[in-house]
Amino acid sequence: MAASASTRGLGVAVIGAGMAGKAHMAAYRTAATLYEPVLPPIRLVSVGDVSPAFGEAAATRYGFERNDTDWRAIADDPSINVVSVVIANRFHREVVEGLLAAGKHVLCEKPLSDTLDDARAMATAAHEASTIARVGFTYRRSPGIAYIRDLVRSGTLGRVLHFSGRYWCDYAADPRTPLSWRFQGPAGSGALADVGSHLSYLAEFVCGDIRSVSGGRFATVIDERPEPLGMVSGRGATAVSDTLGRVENDDYATFSAAFDEGVGAFEVSRVATGHANTLTFEVFGDAGSASFDFRRPAEVGLYLAEGPAAQRGFRQVILGPDHPYLAGGLAMDAQGVGFGQNEGFVFQARAFLEEVAGLPEEASLPRCATFDEGVHNMELLAAVASSAEAGGATVTVGDVAATKNEEVPA
Amino acid sequence: MAASASTRGLGVAVIGAGMAGKAHMAAYRTAATLYEPVLPPIRLVSVGDVSPAFGEAAATRYGFERNDTDWRAIADDPSINVVSVVIANRFHREVVEGLLAAGKHVLCEKPLSDTLDDARAMATAAHEASTIARVGFTYRRSPGIAYIRDLVRSGTLGRVLHFSGRYWCDYAADPRTPLSWRFQGPAGSGALADVGSHLSYLAEFVCGDIRSVSGGRFATVIDERPEPLGMVSGRGATAVSDTLGRVENDDYATFSAAFDEGVGAFEVSRVATGHANTLTFEVFGDAGSASFDFRRPAEVGLYLAEGPAAQRGFRQVILGPDHPYLAGGLAMDAQGVGFGQNEGFVFQARAFLEEVAGLPEEASLPRCATFDEGVHNMELLAAVASSAEAGGATVTVGDVAATKNEEVPA
Amino acid sequence: MAASASTRGLGVAVIGAGMAGKAHMAAYRTAATLYEPVLPPIRLVSVGDVSPAFGEAAATRYGFERNDTDWRAIADDPSINVVSVVIANRFHREVVEGLLAAGKHVLCEKPLSDTLDDARAMATAAHEASTIARVGFTYRRSPGIAYIRDLVRSGTLGRVLHFSGRYWCDYAADPRTPLSWRFQGPAGSGALADVGSHLSYLAEFVCGDIRSVSGGRFATVIDERPEPLGMVSGRGATAVSDTLGRVENDDYATFSAAFDEGVGAFEVSRVATGHANTLTFEVFGDAGSASFDFRRPAEVGLYLAEGPAAQRGFRQVILGPDHPYLAGGLAMDAQGVGFGQNEGFVFQARAFLEEVAGLPEEASLPRCATFDEGVHNMELLAAVASSAEAGGATVTVGDVAATKNEEVPA
Amino acid sequence: MAASASTRGLGVAVIGAGMAGKAHMAAYRTAATLYEPVLPPIRLVSVGDVSPAFGEAAATRYGFERNDTDWRAIADDPSINVVSVVIANRFHREVVEGLLAAGKHVLCEKPLSDTLDDARAMATAAHEASTIARVGFTYRRSPGIAYIRDLVRSGTLGRVLHFSGRYWCDYAADPRTPLSWRFQGPAGSGALADVGSHLSYLAEFVCGDIRSVSGGRFATVIDERPEPLGMVSGRGATAVSDTLGRVENDDYATFSAAFDEGVGAFEVSRVATGHANTLTFEVFGDAGSASFDFRRPAEVGLYLAEGPAAQRGFRQVILGPDHPYLAGGLAMDAQGVGFGQNEGFVFQARAFLEEVAGLPEEASLPRCATFDEGVHNMELLAAVASSAEAGGATVTVGDVAATKNEEVPA
C-alpha cells in the first residue's frame, strides 16, 4: 500500500476540525518541507467534521480539497491513504476501526479512547490491520524532551534515580467556569485523563517503563459550578445560570510510580491559577540532572556532576541544530530562533508520513507511538484511578483489578 | 522569671557547636540589633559541646564567655536563662527535659527527637514547665514564606485549592559518598526526616493543618555505599574503603496530604543531583497563586487573577520593607539588598528572646513554634512512614496505628 | 495589479535559497492558513538562485514549481506577482529596481543595501513604482515585541523615559573562526549592520523615532583571524590555514540615542560568547516597564506601578490569544504553546500578501515597513558610524555629513 | 599603632547614623565572628551623628557605648582606633582629614567626596598619614562579583572582549517624588554619582583599568518635580506642594569605555520603573562569559566554551563554600543558604579590621580599596561628565580638561 502510495503521492484527510484538528491539518501541509525532500507528494484531500460549516472553513483555510460530514465518505475514498482522527475520545473506536478496515493508515489522537476496553479492542484491530495505526503523543516531538531522552539513553545523566513531573493548567480555576462535558465522568476522567496522559506518557518516554503506581489521589476542589446558558465554547465566555451543578471528576490528581529503574511522582491540575499550560519535569541521575518547562520549549536545564565544583550549575541549554529534530528541520534551524507546539505537530505528521511512505526508520524522525503504547498509557492511568479508589494503595500497571496493597519497591 | 531576667539581662547558652549551633550563636549575638532596641541586654555566656576544642573555638569566635563540655554545667548556672539545643536528635529529650527542670527557656532544634514517644514526652515536660519551650523551624522565618502565609491568610489568593512542594538536596547523590549515621535508621529517618520535616512544617505554616496523608513511598535508590575510612566530616572528603555497606533509610520520599482546606503533594530527596539545597513550593488559590524557591530567598512569585487578561502573569516580587520581617529589621532593609538563611536564624532568636523577655506578641515578630507543633510535625512524618509501610494507604495524622486504607477525601 | 491578481491568485517567487530565503519560502506556503481565509490563492512559482542545485533543492522542498538561476527570468514571468529578495545586500539594488520596473511587488530583506546611496536610490524607485515595495524587518512580527509596542502606544507604561537594548551573538567569538566576507568592509559593516539593524529598528518600532545618536564606538576585539581553506559554510567547520588575516570591521558596537521622547543605549556584539542569538531590551516608562528576551519569544516582562506596593513585581506574561498576532493566527493559538522566529516570517509574508491583495489594513496584520523606513534605519546606522569616526560625537540622524559635536539633549 | 591596638583590642566608631551607617555598625559587631577568630577584641565605642536622638538610638541598637554629636569628640578619644565615615559626601574631606590627623584608621564611604579636588586632597592626606585610609566599595565584597573577578584573573573566561553593565533604580521614577538634595547639583551628580560609581568601580575591579570613556550622555527625563512640604524621609512619603521646581542633575546616564583590555558600555538610571536596586552585568571572554544580577546575589551565570556543543549553556552557579568569602565565613556557609548586601558590609568591616590589626593580607579577605582608587573612580566619572559636556567625545581618564575628540581605540 505504502509503496503504491509513494508513486502516486499520499492522500490525506483529517477528521475533526477543532483546534487540535487544525494543528494536524497545518502539519500535513508543512510536513514535506522538513529535512531532505524525501516524502512522496502530499495531497490534502478532505476535512471531516459533522458541522459542514466548520469543516468547509477549515478545508478552505488549510487548503484541503473538500470537506465531508460523515467519516465514511473518507473511509470510502480510495484516493485517501492517511487519516488523522481528532474527535471526541468516545467516538475513536468506531471511526478508527472503520478506517483501518477500509485500509487507511490512521493517526489517532491520544488517548486512544475513553474506556480501556475500547482501547484494547482498537489495539487488536491495529494488530490485525495491514496498515499503520499510530497514536499522537505530540509531546515526544518537543525537541527538548527528545534531547532529555537522549541524555538518559546515552548515559550522560548516569543511572536515573528519580523523576518529578507536574502539569498545571488553569482553565477550570475560576469557580464561575460553567459545567461542560469536561467535568463529567468517573474519577480520573478529569485532569488526569486530560493532561496526566501527556505527562505520564513523556515520563515513560524519557525514563522507561512504569511497573506500578501508588498514592493515587483525586481531588475535586471546586465541586459545584454554574450550569451554562447556551453553548460552551473553547474559551468559555458563555453566560452562566444561577443554578449550580455537581462536578463529577478530578480537578487535581497525584500519584507516584516505580519505573523499571528509579521512582517518580506526578501532579496534574486544571485549577492551577496562573498556569495556562505549564508542563515541567526533572530527571535526576547519579551523574547529572535535566529539567524542562514547556513554557520555554526551546531550552533545557542540564546539570553535569563533572568539572570543578566551583563551576557547576544547571545549564540553560538553548536548543539548536546540535539537538534533536532541528538540524535541517525548520527553515530557520539556528540556535536561539525558538519554536513551539505547532512545530511539534509538524514533526509528528512528518514522522507518520515517513513511516507510511515506507522510508527507513533512520530517515529523519523516530516513529510515532503504537496503539499498544496508547493502551499501556491508559492502563497506567487506570492503575492510578484504581490506586485512588483503594485509598492510595499500590497497583501494578496492566492489572487494574489488583487493588490490593502490595509491597512498595524501595 | 522573664521579668527578673529583663532587668538583669538575659544569659544565653547554645549547646552544640556544629554549623547549625554556630548559626544560633551568631543569631543571639545579632538579635538585639533588629527593630527597635526593646530587648533586655543579652549576655552570651556559654557554648556547650562535648568536644572542648570545638566548644572553645566556637565560644571565642562568637564571643561567648566560656564553654562547657557537660550540658549540666549550663543547666546548673543560674546566670543562664535561655538555651538553644542543637545536638543530635536522639539526645534532645534528656537535655531538654533537664534544662526545663532547671528552669531554663529552651529553643530546641527540629525535629524534637528521633522517636515520637520521646517527642511526646518532651511536649508533656514543656506543658509542665514554668519556662518557655519552643522548637526551631527556621524556615518560617524566611520573609518570603511569611509573606506567602500572609497572602493566604488575608484571602489575597482566595480559597486555597492545592499545594505542591519539593525539597531537593544532593549531598548523597554521589554513589561514592560513604556510609554515615545519615544512612542508618528506619524508613523515614533519611530524606524525609532530614528535609521533609522542613517542607511539611512550612506547608502547614502556609496552608493550615494536614488531616491525613496518603501515598507514602520511600525509595533507597543507592542501596549500597562504601564504608568510610576514618571520620566522616560534613563535606565528606574522607577516604573510603572498597567494602560496600547497606543504606537503610530513604534517599527519596513522596506523599500526598489532605489539608483542612485543599490537598497537596510532597517530594524530598537527598540524591537530587545539582541541588545543594533547593526548596520550592507553590500554593494555588482560586484568586491567585504564589511560588517560592529557596535559592532565591529574597523573591516570591505572585499571580493574581485580576486586571486585564493580557497583563496577567506571575510577578517576581522582590522582598523589601513592604514585606514581613524586613522593615526596621536588617540594617540595610531596602528592597533588593538580599538576605539568606543566616538572617532566618537571627529572626528566630529575636522572636524567642522577645517571648522570653515577656514582650507583647505584637512587638515585632510572631512567636516560635511550640513543642506541640513539633510533635504534630513528627506525627505527620510518622503517618507518612505508616502510609508507606502500608503500600501507600491513607493514614490520619496523629493516629499512627491506623494503617488501614480509609476513604480519600475528594 | 493587485486586484487582477486577487482573481487569478498570486504568483510568488523567492530569490535567494539560503536559510533566510528558505524561511520566506516556508512562510509563503503557510501564510494563507492564518486567520480567516481571506487571501487569494497563492501559487508558489519560482525559487531564484545562482546555484541551480541549491535552487532546485529548495524549490522541491518548499513546493515551488521551478527554479531560475537568473533573477530576470522571474522579472520576465507575468505569472509572478510577488517576489522576496533574500540575497547579498550589495546585489539588492539591481535586482529590486529590476523587479519593480517589471511590475512586481517586492519584499526586500533588510538592510536595503550595503550603501546608503543605493538604499536611497531604491527608495526613489519604490516611490516611482506602481507596485508595493517593502522591507523585511521580521522582528516587528514577534508577538512579544508587538505587544510591548502596544503597551507604549496605549499609554499603559506612561511616558517613555528610556530604552536599553542589546543584541548578543557569538558566531565570531572563537578566535579560530576563519575570515569571510562578514569580516570585511568599513567600520559599521560588522556587528552593527548585521544585528544592530534589527535592534535599532525595533527600538524605533516600539519607542518612536530616534533624532540623533551619540557615543558611537566600534571595537574589533579579535583583529586577526585565520584564512580559510576551502569554502566557508554557515556553521564554519571548514579547515583553516596558519596564515592570519586582518579583520576590518566591528565585532562590537555601542551608541546612545535621543528619541523624540526619551533616550536609550544600544550594544551589539558578534563575539558575545554563550549567546547564539540573544536580543534583549527594556522599555522604562513612568507608569510601568516592559522587557523582552528573544530566547524566550513567547513571554514578556511587564511591570505596572499600580496596586499595593507589596504586590508589585515584573510579571512573566505568557503570550496567547489575548496578545497580538496569535488569536486566530497559528493553528494552536492557546496561551503557553510557544512559537519562534519561523512564525515571524509567516506573519510577515501574510502581512505582505494582504497588502498586495488589496485587503484593508485592518484585515489582520499591520503592514510591512516601507523602503523609506529601510533608508531611515540605514541613516541611523550611518549616523552611528559617523559618531564613532568622530570619537563619539553627537550626530543627527539623516545628516551623516554633520560629524561636529552638537548639544546633547538632556 | 596597629600593633598596640591588637594587644588592647580595637576601639571602633561610626560617624553617621543613616541606613548605611547602621550597616557599618552591624558589620563591626559581627566582623569578629567570621573565619578563624584572628581579630583582636573589638570595642564598639561611639556613634557620631549631629542628631543626638538618632545617634543615641543607633548606639543603643548596635551596642555602642555612647554617641557623640561632634566628630571631634571621636577624633580626640584615644580609645578609638578605627572610624567609619558615612555622612554626606561634601563633609567627607573635613572629617576624614581630621581623623587621619588624629591618628585614626579611616574607612570612608564612597565616593570620596563631592568634588574631585577634595578627593585628591584626601588622597594626599592619606599618603601622608601613618594610619590606614580606605574607601568602602562594598560591592567588591559580593561573593559573586569576587568570583567573576577570579574567573577573569585565572583566565577561565579567556581574554576579556567586552563588558556590559547596568544599574537600575526607581526611587525617582514617580514624577510626584518631591525635590530633594538628590536632584540638585551639576550634571553627573545624579544617577551617575549615586549608582554609576558602584557600577564603574566593580567593572574595573572585575575587568581591569579603564583608560578612556566616550559617549557620555546625561538625561533628565523628569525635569520638574513638586516641592516637598516638610521633611523628605528616605522613602519619601512626605506631602508635596503644587509648586514644581527644576531637577538639575541626571536621572539617567550612559557611556562607553576602553579598558586596558576590551571595551564596555554602562547605563545607570534612577527612574527605571520596577527596579528598586538592580545591578546587572556581563563579562564576555573568548573562552567563556559570566553574568551577575544583584537581585540574586547568591548566584552567578557562567558559560564555558568547552565540552560538547549540545551540552553548553549558561550555568546557574549557586555560590557556596567553593566560592570566595563563604568557606568558614558565615555561620551557615553551605551552598544554597543565600546572603545579601548586609553580609557585604560585614566582609568589608572584617577586611578593614584585619588590615588595621596588622594581619597578613592572606589572612582571609583581600584589602579594601585605597583612596587612590577612590580618586580614580571619581576621575572616571568626571571623564564621563566631560564627555557628555562635549557631546559624547572621547576623554582620557585622569585628564578631565581634555575634552577634545580623540581617536577611539578599535
Side-chain angles (χ1 to χ4, degrees):
Chain A
M1 173 104 208
S4 70
S6 72
T7 54
R8 294 174 304 145
L10 292 168
V12 171
V14 173
I15 302 179
M19 188 167 75
K22 286 173 181 160
H24 278 254
M25 295 173 212
Y28 282 119
R29 194 178 158 98
T30 302
T33 71
L34 276 67
Y35 312 103
E36 289 303 303
V38 293
L39 285 182
I42 308 298
R43 268 185 62 215
L44 305 177
V45 181
S46 176
V47 169
D49 199 279
V50 289
S51 156
F54 280 20
E56 184 181 355
T60 305
R61 180 170 170 185
Y62 294 99
F64 283 65
E65 297 170 6
R66 69 166 195 262
N67 68 297
D68 291 298
T69 55
D70 189 330
W71 65 269
R72 291 172 195 85
I74 288 167
D76 292 345
D77 183 342
S79 77
I80 294 175
N81 317 87
V82 169
V83 186
S84 277
V85 177
V86 200
I87 55 179
N89 304 338
R90 68 184 181 282
F91 300 127
H92 279 186
R93 179 177 175 182
E94 179 194 3
V95 174
V96 166
E97 288 183 353
L99 291 167
L100 290 174
K104 309 304 182 195
H105 303 290
V106 174
L107 177 60
C108 181
E109 257 303 314
K110 49 80 31 192
L112 269 187
S113 179
D114 62 336
T115 74
L116 192 44
D117 283 348
D118 277 359
R120 286 170 172 159
M122 290 166 72
T124 302
H127 281 291
E128 292 167 355
S130 58
T131 50
I132 297 164
R134 296 292 177 256
V135 58
F137 285 105
T138 39
Y139 284 33
R140 70 186 282 173
R141 300 298 171 181
S142 182
I145 295 172
Y147 173 56
I148 295 176
R149 173 182 161 100
D150 288 353
L151 291 170
V152 169
R153 300 221 154 185
S154 64
T156 306
L157 304 183
R159 187 163 67 91
V160 170
L161 304 178
H162 55 98
F163 171 94
S164 175
R166 289 155 298 283
Y167 203 143
W168 302 137
C169 300
D170 66 359
Y171 59 78
D174 185 339
R176 294 160 305 179
T177 301
L179 284 172
S180 70
W181 61 269
R182 289 181 174 281
F183 301 102
Q184 290 154 359
S189 69
L192 185 70
D194 187 12
V195 293
S197 52
H198 282 299
L199 181 62
S200 57
Y201 177 79
L202 73 84
E204 293 191 288
F205 179 66
V206 168
C207 295
D209 284 351
I210 290 174
R211 289 196 316 255
S212 66
V213 298
S214 177
R217 179 192 287 271
F218 296 128
T220 307
V221 292
I222 300 174
D223 55 4
E224 286 186 323
R225 294 179 179 275
E227 302 280 356
L229 294 174
M231 202 176 112
V232 180
S233 75
R235 300 187 61 215
T238 326
V240 298
S241 78
D242 292 338
T243 316
L244 295 177
R246 186 130 205 99
V247 175
E248 296 173 10
N249 56 18
D250 43 309
D251 289 329
Y252 167 92
T254 185
F255 63 98
S256 68
F259 291 82
D260 274 343
E261 177 112 62
V263 295
F266 299 76
E267 278 186 285
V268 298
S269 173
R270 65 188 180 194
V271 294
T273 302
H275 292 278
N277 188 40
T278 301
L279 184 163
T280 60
F281 69 87
E282 296 99 45
V283 183
F284 299 99
D286 64 6
S289 296
S291 65
F292 186 75
D293 181 338
F294 207 73
R295 287 173 297 186
R296 293 166 170 177
E299 64 193 76
V300 163
L302 171 64
Y303 180 93
L304 297 177
E306 64 178 33
Q311 295 175 7
R312 295 184 189 176
F314 268 90
R315 304 168 186 195
Q316 180 199 27
V317 175
I318 306 290
L319 301 174
D322 294 308
H323 302 98
Y325 291 115
L326 295 176
L330 307 178
M332 298 283 283
D333 66 353
Q335 197 181 8
V337 303
F339 47 81
Q341 204 165 348
N342 282 287
E343 279 86 351
F345 281 91
V346 179
F347 291 131
Q348 174 179 273
R350 170 80 186 200
F352 187 53
L353 292 171
E354 287 184 4
E355 185 173 13
V356 166
L359 299 176
E361 184 155 3
E362 310 75 40
S364 50
L365 293 175
R367 299 303 191 212
C368 293
T370 63
F371 274 26
D372 285 348
E373 290 179 80
V375 168
H376 173 80
N377 183 254
M378 290 187 64
E379 287 175 340
L380 174 57
L381 300 188
V384 172
S386 181
S387 170
E389 197 179 359
T394 302
V395 177
T396 301
V397 175
D399 185 14
V400 176
T403 58
K404 315 293 178 290
N405 281 347
E406 301 173 47
E407 282 301 298
V408 190
Chain B
M1 174 101 208
S4 70
S6 74
T7 55
R8 296 174 304 144
L10 293 168
V12 170
V14 173
I15 303 179
M19 186 167 77
K22 286 173 181 161
H24 278 255
M25 295 173 211
Y28 282 120
R29 194 179 159 97
T30 302
T33 72
L34 275 68
Y35 312 103
E36 287 303 301
V38 292
L39 285 182
I42 309 297
R43 272 185 59 218
L44 305 176
V45 182
S46 176
V47 168
D49 199 278
V50 288
S51 157
F54 281 20
E56 184 181 357
T60 305
R61 180 170 169 184
Y62 293 100
F64 283 65
E65 298 170 5
R66 71 166 195 262
N67 67 297
D68 291 298
T69 54
D70 189 327
W71 65 268
R72 291 174 195 84
I74 287 169
D76 292 344
D77 182 342
S79 78
I80 293 175
N81 317 89
V82 169
V83 186
S84 277
V85 177
V86 200
I87 55 179
N89 303 337
R90 69 184 181 281
F91 300 126
H92 278 187
R93 179 177 174 183
E94 177 193 4
V95 174
V96 167
E97 289 182 353
L99 291 167
L100 289 175
K104 308 304 183 197
H105 302 289
V106 175
L107 177 60
C108 181
E109 257 303 313
K110 48 80 31 191
L112 270 187
S113 179
D114 62 335
T115 73
L116 192 45
D117 283 347
D118 277 0
R120 286 171 173 159
M122 290 166 73
T124 301
H127 281 290
E128 291 167 356
S130 59
T131 49
I132 297 165
R134 296 289 176 259
V135 59
F137 285 105
T138 39
Y139 284 33
R140 69 185 283 173
R141 301 298 172 182
S142 181
I145 294 173
Y147 173 56
I148 295 175
R149 173 182 160 99
D150 289 353
L151 290 171
V152 169
R153 298 221 156 184
S154 64
T156 306
L157 304 184
R159 186 163 68 90
V160 170
L161 305 177
H162 56 97
F163 171 94
S164 175
R166 289 154 299 283
Y167 204 143
W168 303 138
C169 300
D170 66 359
Y171 59 77
D174 186 339
R176 293 159 305 178
T177 300
L179 283 172
S180 71
W181 61 268
R182 289 182 174 280
F183 301 102
Q184 291 154 358
S189 68
L192 184 70
D194 186 13
V195 293
S197 52
H198 282 299
L199 180 63
S200 58
Y201 177 80
L202 74 85
E204 292 191 289
F205 179 66
V206 168
C207 293
D209 286 350
I210 290 174
R211 288 198 318 254
S212 66
V213 298
S214 176
R217 178 193 287 271
F218 296 129
T220 306
V221 291
I222 300 175
D223 55 4
E224 286 186 323
R225 293 179 179 277
E227 302 281 356
L229 293 175
M231 203 175 111
V232 179
S233 75
R235 301 184 64 215
T238 326
V240 298
S241 78
D242 291 340
T243 316
L244 295 177
R246 184 128 206 101
V247 175
E248 295 173 11
N249 56 17
D250 42 309
D251 289 328
Y252 168 92
T254 184
F255 63 97
S256 69
F259 291 82
D260 274 344
E261 178 110 64
V263 294
F266 300 75
E267 278 185 283
V268 298
S269 172
R270 64 188 182 195
V271 293
T273 302
H275 292 277
N277 188 40
T278 301
L279 184 163
T280 60
F281 69 87
E282 296 99 44
V283 182
F284 299 99
D286 64 5
S289 295
S291 65
F292 187 74
D293 181 338
F294 208 71
R295 286 172 297 185
R296 293 167 169 175
E299 64 191 77
V300 163
L302 171 63
Y303 180 94
L304 296 177
E306 65 180 31
Q311 296 176 6
R312 294 184 189 176
F314 269 89
R315 303 168 187 196
Q316 180 199 27
V317 176
I318 305 290
L319 301 174
D322 296 307
H323 301 98
Y325 293 113
L326 296 176
L330 307 177
M332 299 283 284
D333 66 351
Q335 197 181 8
V337 304
F339 47 80
Q341 204 165 347
N342 282 287
E343 279 85 353
F345 281 91
V346 179
F347 292 131
Q348 174 179 273
R350 170 82 188 199
F352 186 54
L353 292 171
E354 288 184 4
E355 185 173 12
V356 165
L359 299 176
E361 184 157 2
E362 310 75 41
S364 50
L365 292 176
R367 299 302 192 215
C368 293
T370 63
F371 275 25
D372 286 348
E373 290 179 80
V375 169
H376 172 80
N377 183 253
M378 290 188 63
E379 288 175 339
L380 174 57
L381 300 188
V384 173
S386 181
S387 170
E389 197 178 1
T394 302
V395 177
T396 301
V397 175
D399 185 15
V400 175
T403 56
K404 314 292 178 293
N405 280 347
E406 301 174 47
E407 281 300 297
V408 191
Chain C
M1 172 107 209
S4 71
S6 73
T7 54
R8 295 175 305 145
L10 292 168
V12 170
V14 173
I15 302 179
M19 188 167 75
K22 285 173 182 159
H24 279 255
M25 295 172 212
Y28 283 120
R29 195 178 158 98
T30 303
T33 70
L34 276 68
Y35 311 103
E36 287 304 301
V38 292
L39 286 182
I42 309 296
R43 270 186 61 218
L44 305 176
V45 182
S46 176
V47 168
D49 199 280
V50 289
S51 156
F54 281 21
E56 184 182 356
T60 305
R61 180 169 169 185
Y62 293 100
F64 283 64
E65 297 170 6
R66 70 166 195 262
N67 68 297
D68 292 298
T69 54
D70 189 330
W71 64 268
R72 291 172 195 85
I74 288 168
D76 292 345
D77 183 341
S79 79
I80 293 175
N81 315 91
V82 169
V83 186
S84 278
V85 177
V86 201
I87 55 180
N89 302 337
R90 67 184 183 281
F91 301 126
H92 279 186
R93 180 175 173 184
E94 178 194 3
V95 174
V96 166
E97 288 183 354
L99 291 167
L100 290 175
K104 308 304 182 196
H105 302 289
V106 175
L107 177 60
C108 180
E109 256 303 312
K110 51 80 29 193
L112 269 187
S113 179
D114 61 335
T115 74
L116 193 45
D117 282 348
D118 277 1
R120 286 171 173 159
M122 289 165 73
T124 300
H127 281 291
E128 291 168 355
S130 59
T131 50
I132 297 165
R134 296 289 177 260
V135 58
F137 285 105
T138 37
Y139 284 32
R140 70 184 283 171
R141 301 299 171 183
S142 182
I145 295 173
Y147 173 55
I148 294 176
R149 173 182 160 100
D150 288 352
L151 291 170
V152 169
R153 299 221 154 184
S154 64
T156 306
L157 304 184
R159 186 163 68 89
V160 170
L161 304 178
H162 56 98
F163 172 93
S164 175
R166 289 155 299 284
Y167 203 142
W168 303 138
C169 300
D170 66 359
Y171 58 80
D174 185 339
R176 295 160 303 179
T177 300
L179 284 172
S180 72
W181 61 268
R182 289 180 173 281
F183 301 102
Q184 291 154 359
S189 69
L192 185 70
D194 187 13
V195 292
S197 51
H198 282 299
L199 180 62
S200 58
Y201 177 80
L202 75 84
E204 292 191 289
F205 178 67
V206 168
C207 294
D209 285 350
I210 290 174
R211 287 196 320 254
S212 66
V213 298
S214 177
R217 178 193 288 270
F218 295 128
T220 307
V221 293
I222 300 174
D223 55 6
E224 286 186 324
R225 292 178 180 277
E227 302 280 357
L229 294 174
M231 203 176 109
V232 180
S233 75
R235 300 186 64 215
T238 327
V240 298
S241 78
D242 292 339
T243 316
L244 294 178
R246 185 131 206 99
V247 175
E248 296 174 9
N249 56 19
D250 42 306
D251 288 329
Y252 168 92
T254 184
F255 63 98
S256 69
F259 291 82
D260 275 344
E261 179 112 62
V263 294
F266 300 76
E267 278 185 284
V268 298
S269 172
R270 65 188 180 195
V271 293
T273 302
H275 292 279
N277 188 40
T278 301
L279 184 163
T280 59
F281 69 88
E282 297 99 44
V283 182
F284 298 100
D286 64 6
S289 296
S291 65
F292 186 75
D293 181 337
F294 208 73
R295 286 172 296 186
R296 294 166 170 176
E299 64 192 75
V300 163
L302 171 64
Y303 181 92
L304 296 177
E306 65 178 33
Q311 294 175 8
R312 295 184 189 176
F314 268 90
R315 303 170 187 193
Q316 180 199 29
V317 176
I318 305 291
L319 301 174
D322 295 308
H323 302 98
Y325 293 116
L326 296 175
L330 307 177
M332 299 282 284
D333 66 352
Q335 197 181 8
V337 303
F339 47 80
Q341 204 165 347
N342 283 287
E343 279 85 352
F345 281 90
V346 179
F347 291 131
Q348 173 179 273
R350 171 78 187 202
F352 187 53
L353 292 171
E354 287 185 4
E355 186 173 12
V356 165
L359 299 176
E361 184 157 3
E362 310 75 41
S364 51
L365 292 174
R367 299 305 192 210
C368 293
T370 63
F371 275 26
D372 286 348
E373 289 179 81
V375 168
H376 172 80
N377 183 254
M378 290 188 63
E379 287 175 339
L380 174 57
L381 301 188
V384 172
S386 181
S387 170
E389 198 179 359
T394 301
V395 177
T396 301
V397 175
D399 184 13
V400 176
T403 58
K404 315 292 177 294
N405 280 347
E406 302 173 47
E407 282 300 299
V408 191
Chain D
M1 174 105 208
S4 70
S6 72
T7 54
R8 294 175 304 143
L10 292 168
V12 170
V14 173
I15 302 180
M19 188 167 76
K22 286 174 181 158
H24 279 254
M25 296 172 211
Y28 283 120
R29 195 179 157 96
T30 302
T33 71
L34 276 67
Y35 311 104
E36 287 304 300
V38 292
L39 285 182
I42 309 297
R43 270 186 59 218
L44 305 177
V45 183
S46 175
V47 168
D49 199 280
V50 288
S51 156
F54 281 20
E56 184 182 355
T60 305
R61 180 169 169 184
Y62 294 100
F64 283 65
E65 298 170 4
R66 70 166 195 262
N67 68 295
D68 292 297
T69 55
D70 189 329
W71 64 269
R72 292 174 194 84
I74 288 168
D76 293 344
D77 183 342
S79 77
I80 293 175
N81 316 89
V82 169
V83 187
S84 277
V85 177
V86 200
I87 56 179
N89 302 338
R90 68 184 181 282
F91 301 126
H92 278 186
R93 180 177 174 182
E94 178 193 3
V95 174
V96 167
E97 288 182 353
L99 291 167
L100 290 175
K104 308 304 183 197
H105 303 290
V106 175
L107 177 60
C108 180
E109 256 304 312
K110 51 81 24 193
L112 269 187
S113 178
D114 62 334
T115 73
L116 192 45
D117 283 347
D118 277 0
R120 286 171 173 159
M122 291 166 71
T124 301
H127 280 291
E128 291 167 357
S130 59
T131 49
I132 297 164
R134 296 289 177 259
V135 58
F137 285 106
T138 38
Y139 284 33
R140 70 186 281 171
R141 300 298 171 182
S142 182
I145 295 173
Y147 173 56
I148 294 176
R149 173 183 161 99
D150 288 353
L151 290 171
V152 169
R153 299 221 154 184
S154 64
T156 306
L157 304 184
R159 187 163 67 91
V160 170
L161 305 178
H162 56 97
F163 172 93
S164 175
R166 288 154 300 283
Y167 203 143
W168 302 140
C169 300
D170 66 358
Y171 59 77
D174 186 338
R176 292 160 306 177
T177 300
L179 284 172
S180 72
W181 61 269
R182 290 182 174 280
F183 301 102
Q184 291 154 359
S189 68
L192 185 70
D194 187 13
V195 293
S197 51
H198 282 298
L199 180 61
S200 57
Y201 176 80
L202 75 83
E204 291 191 290
F205 178 67
V206 169
C207 294
D209 286 349
I210 289 175
R211 289 197 318 255
S212 67
V213 297
S214 176
R217 178 193 288 271
F218 296 129
T220 307
V221 292
I222 299 175
D223 55 5
E224 287 186 323
R225 293 179 179 276
E227 302 281 356
L229 293 174
M231 203 176 108
V232 180
S233 74
R235 300 187 63 217
T238 328
V240 297
S241 78
D242 292 340
T243 316
L244 295 178
R246 185 131 205 99
V247 175
E248 295 173 11
N249 56 18
D250 43 307
D251 289 329
Y252 167 92
T254 184
F255 63 98
S256 69
F259 292 81
D260 274 345
E261 178 112 63
V263 294
F266 300 76
E267 279 187 283
V268 298
S269 172
R270 65 189 181 194
V271 294
T273 302
H275 292 279
N277 188 41
T278 302
L279 184 163
T280 59
F281 70 87
E282 297 98 45
V283 182
F284 299 99
D286 64 5
S289 296
S291 65
F292 186 74
D293 181 338
F294 207 73
R295 287 173 296 186
R296 295 167 169 177
E299 64 192 75
V300 162
L302 171 64
Y303 181 93
L304 296 177
E306 65 178 32
Q311 295 175 8
R312 295 184 189 176
F314 268 89
R315 302 169 187 195
Q316 181 199 26
V317 176
I318 306 291
L319 301 174
D322 295 308
H323 302 99
Y325 294 114
L326 296 176
L330 307 177
M332 300 282 285
D333 66 352
Q335 196 181 10
V337 303
F339 48 79
Q341 204 165 348
N342 282 287
E343 279 85 352
F345 282 91
V346 179
F347 291 131
Q348 174 178 273
R350 170 80 187 199
F352 187 53
L353 292 171
E354 288 185 3
E355 186 173 13
V356 165
L359 299 177
E361 185 158 1
E362 310 74 42
S364 50
L365 292 175
R367 299 302 192 213
C368 292
T370 63
F371 275 27
D372 286 348
E373 289 179 81
V375 169
H376 172 80
N377 183 254
M378 290 187 63
E379 286 175 340
L380 174 58
L381 300 188
V384 172
S386 182
S387 169
E389 198 178 358
T394 302
V395 177
T396 301
V397 175
D399 185 15
V400 175
T403 58
K404 315 293 177 294
N405 281 347
E406 302 172 46
E407 282 300 298
V408 190

